[in-house]
Amino acid sequence: MLEWVTIKNLALIEKADIEFENGFNVVTGETGAGKSVLLGTVSLLLGERADKGAIRTGAERCELIAGISLPEYLPEEFYMALNDAGIELEHGDNTLQLKRVISQTRSRNFINDTPVTLQTLKNIGDFLIDVHGANEHQSLLKQSTQLRMLDRYARNEELIANCAEWCDKLNELRHKREELFNNLPSPVEVEHLRMIVEEIEKISPKPDEDKEISERHRLAANSKQILELTSTSVAMINESENSAIDFMAGIYRTISDLNSIDPENTGMFLETCDRITEQLNELSCDIERYGSRVELDEEEFQQLEERLGELQRLKRRYGPSLEHVIESLEQTQERIAQFENSEKLRMELDKQEKTLLEELRLAAETLSKQRRNTAQSLSAAITEKLKTLGFFKCNMQIEFSTIPPGRNGMDKIDFIFAPNPGEQPQPLRNIASSGEISRVMLALKTVLAEADAIPILVFDEIDANIGGETAVKVGHELKKLSAHRQILCISHLPQVASMGTAHYLVSKEVINDRTSTSITRLESHEREKEITRMLGGGKAAGNHARELLETV
């Protein structure tokens, strides 16, 4: 149940703390006092988008908080939705706190102090509270609303989700086909693509081939200079006059003379000379071997230059790198293959589409069968409920028409209504007065509330445009409904207000030139006074008010 609500700086309310009772809570007040603020508060806490103009004049922000105690019969999907939002209930904790802070620039939303999105608020709230505003009277005339109510009564969520899943697969396939064939090359373009493939395949580049060829070309281009430099280096080491070897021989002889004078301390110098001479000989051999590998082949050099030119030309056209060239070849071949295999691919996609359409049709037929089976019990339940609301000989039927299968199945429905005997049943939108619509909506809400697990029902003037004995019946029906659900009802009917478990008065007053709305719970004598006002005032109204309260 909705245990309490705190409202700060919303519309004309500066500050209000309201505690509700289990059962039938009724809210009354003068026209224009601000009764709809309470409904607005609940709607905002259920994820409705905020109008910044709703913030009380002069305030920087408004704050709305509600405490809800959870019943035991909520479905597993509710707890899964909490878990998906990162909200964990401690063991034994059966309370939930919804909060919204709305400023001129942004809105912040919380469940149990955990920040959440508006969609999360809505998803969680859908399991807890069903709000019926005055504008929903007209929505009942819409066939889409009627179908949603039938599905809710039949618990068709899984069957609808199945239809939606096949629709998504079908749309994905159609998008894929459209994208594929929109980008399919024309015959002229294919001829151009084949020329590209022929050009690249003729040269047949290999990965990193350009780097390898460039290195070989660089060496071949400098082969003459390399041979000259290696030859000169070898000569300077051991072949020319005054070569390094000869120079080292002279040094060796000089040190030998020194060694003959002081052999103990100069022997190491001779060893070093031997090592240097040996290293010079090794260096000469290494340079000779390097030079022998370099061949001055003009024909090979010409071939390298031509190959390098071919690769550079491909890179300019399809590059910038050789990897890009090879990738372009693969992509071009793929586009040609798409063109050549397009008819086969089209047939395959058509076959897949036919299969998906058949699956969608079967899913829609299953949903339609469930709807038609349930429609009889729903229309019977509504008719029975309408009899308790004054339509003693009414007739309510649900008429089906078939549409192409889609996300929501293949059905369009109409609530067909004959409020009085002898009248030809017609679509509800054609014949119902506003008072009749109110009672039909109440009957629907009552039947749906008995069918689903939503624990809190909020009604905003569902009793509009009715009165007299019918108002008494509406009050009894709401009272009966409150035995299993908490009811919040904003009403203008004294017959309905007198049956509330708890009665709240919305009033407006001017303090220091500022208009403020307050919400207070009425005690027994205050209730009598308020119901007397609702009856028009005076001694007779007061007596009637007492009678209404005493007969509850």
Side-chain angles (χ1 to χ4, degrees), residues 278-391:
E278 183 179 352
Q279 289 175 345
L280 285 171
N281 283 322
E282 289 178 359
L283 176 61
S284 176
C285 291
D286 290 343
I287 294 173
E288 276 191 301
R289 280 195 295 271
Y290 168 73
S292 67
R293 293 199 301 269
V294 178
E295 299 178 1
L296 188 58
D297 189 334
E298 290 292 339
E299 183 177 349
E300 183 185 358
F301 177 70
Q302 186 66 31
Q303 290 174 350
L304 289 174
E305 269 205 332
E306 290 177 0
R307 182 62 177 174
L308 194 59
E310 289 175 340
L311 297 177
Q312 295 292 358
R313 186 169 65 254
L314 287 180
K315 289 198 292 184
R316 282 194 301 271
R317 291 187 180 180
Y318 313 110
S321 67
L322 204 58
E323 286 70 22
H324 285 95
V325 174
I326 295 171
E327 186 178 334
S328 293
L329 173 63
E330 293 172 350
Q331 291 175 349
T332 305
Q333 289 172 327
E334 184 178 345
R335 283 182 59 75
I336 293 173
Q338 285 177 351
F339 176 82
E340 292 175 340
N341 299 322
S342 60
E343 192 55 37
K344 180 180 178 182
L345 185 58
R346 190 191 304 275
M347 293 173 63
E348 178 61 31
L349 290 175
D350 287 346
K351 182 180 178 181
Q352 291 179 27
E353 181 182 31
K354 186 176 179 181
T355 300
L356 291 176
L357 281 170
E358 178 63 15
E359 293 290 352
L360 174 59
R361 185 187 65 79
L362 292 174
E365 283 183 350
T366 301
L367 174 59
S368 182
K369 183 178 180 180
Q370 174 69 4
R371 283 170 171 165
R372 290 170 188 268
N373 289 339
T374 310
Q376 295 178 6
S377 61
L378 176 59
S379 58
I382 295 171
T383 299
E384 194 62 32
K385 195 64 66 176
L386 284 169
K387 289 179 181 178
T388 67
L389 296 174
F391 292 108

Side-chain angles (χ1 to χ4, degrees), residues 221-232:
N222 294 284
S223 58
K224 184 176 181 181
Q225 186 180 5
I226 291 171
L227 290 173
E228 291 175 352
L229 292 173
T230 55
S231 177
T232 300

Side-chain angles (χ1 to χ4, degrees), residues 153-359:
Y153 181 79
R155 301 181 183 274
N156 285 335
E157 295 84 358
E158 189 174 332
L159 295 177
I160 293 172
N162 193 30
C163 285
E165 183 180 351
W166 288 116
C167 257
D168 288 341
K169 291 179 179 178
L170 187 62
N171 290 334
E172 184 181 346
L173 176 73
R174 286 171 173 170
H175 177 73
K176 175 183 175 182
R177 179 173 59 189
E178 181 180 2
E179 191 175 61
L180 177 65
F181 286 101
N182 282 347
N183 295 324
L184 206 63
S186 65
V188 174
E189 186 181 355
V190 168
E191 287 306 312
H192 175 67
L193 294 175
R194 285 184 174 133
M195 291 173 62
I196 293 175
V197 170
E198 184 180 352
E199 179 183 8
I200 297 176
E201 285 185 336
K202 184 177 180 181
I203 295 174
S204 189
K206 305 294 186 295
D208 294 327
E209 182 185 1
D210 54 336
K211 297 175 184 176
E212 179 189 342
I213 296 293
S214 294
E215 179 62 20
R216 290 173 59 193
H217 179 269
R218 186 182 64 79
L219 292 176
N222 294 284
S223 58
K224 184 176 181 181
Q225 186 180 5
I226 291 171
L227 290 173
E228 291 175 352
L229 292 173
T230 55
S231 177
T232 300
S233 299
V234 169
M236 290 175 68
I237 293 171
N238 64 4
E239 292 180 359
S240 63
E241 190 178 347
N242 297 324
S243 67
I245 294 295
D246 290 342
F247 188 70
M248 286 303 300
I251 295 174
Y252 188 89
R253 287 191 296 272
T254 302
I255 293 175
S256 294
D257 293 339
L258 182 61
N259 181 254
S260 64
I261 299 172
D262 185 8
E264 185 177 346
N265 294 311
T266 61
M268 68 181 82
F269 300 151
L270 291 175
E271 292 175 3
T272 301
C273 283
D274 287 337
R275 284 200 305 274
I276 293 172
T277 300
E278 183 179 352
Q279 289 175 345
L280 285 171
N281 283 322
E282 289 178 359
L283 176 61
S284 176
C285 291
D286 290 343
I287 294 173
E288 276 191 301
R289 280 195 295 271
Y290 168 73
S292 67
R293 293 199 301 269
V294 178
E295 299 178 1
L296 188 58
D297 189 334
E298 290 292 339
E299 183 177 349
E300 183 185 358
F301 177 70
Q302 186 66 31
Q303 290 174 350
L304 289 174
E305 269 205 332
E306 290 177 0
R307 182 62 177 174
L308 194 59
E310 289 175 340
L311 297 177
Q312 295 292 358
R313 186 169 65 254
L314 287 180
K315 289 198 292 184
R316 282 194 301 271
R317 291 187 180 180
Y318 313 110
S321 67
L322 204 58
E323 286 70 22
H324 285 95
V325 174
I326 295 171
E327 186 178 334
S328 293
L329 173 63
E330 293 172 350
Q331 291 175 349
T332 305
Q333 289 172 327
E334 184 178 345
R335 283 182 59 75
I336 293 173
Q338 285 177 351
F339 176 82
E340 292 175 340
N341 299 322
S342 60
E343 192 55 37
K344 180 180 178 182
L345 185 58
R346 190 191 304 275
M347 293 173 63
E348 178 61 31
L349 290 175
D350 287 346
K351 182 180 178 181
Q352 291 179 27
E353 181 182 31
K354 186 176 179 181
T355 300
L356 291 176
L357 281 170
E358 178 63 15
E359 293 290 352

Side-chain angles (χ1 to χ4, degrees), residues 465-480:
N465 304 306
I466 60 176
E469 185 62 26
T470 301
V472 175
K473 292 176 179 178
V474 167
H476 280 301
E477 199 59 43
L478 289 170
K479 182 76 172 179
K480 179 181 175 183

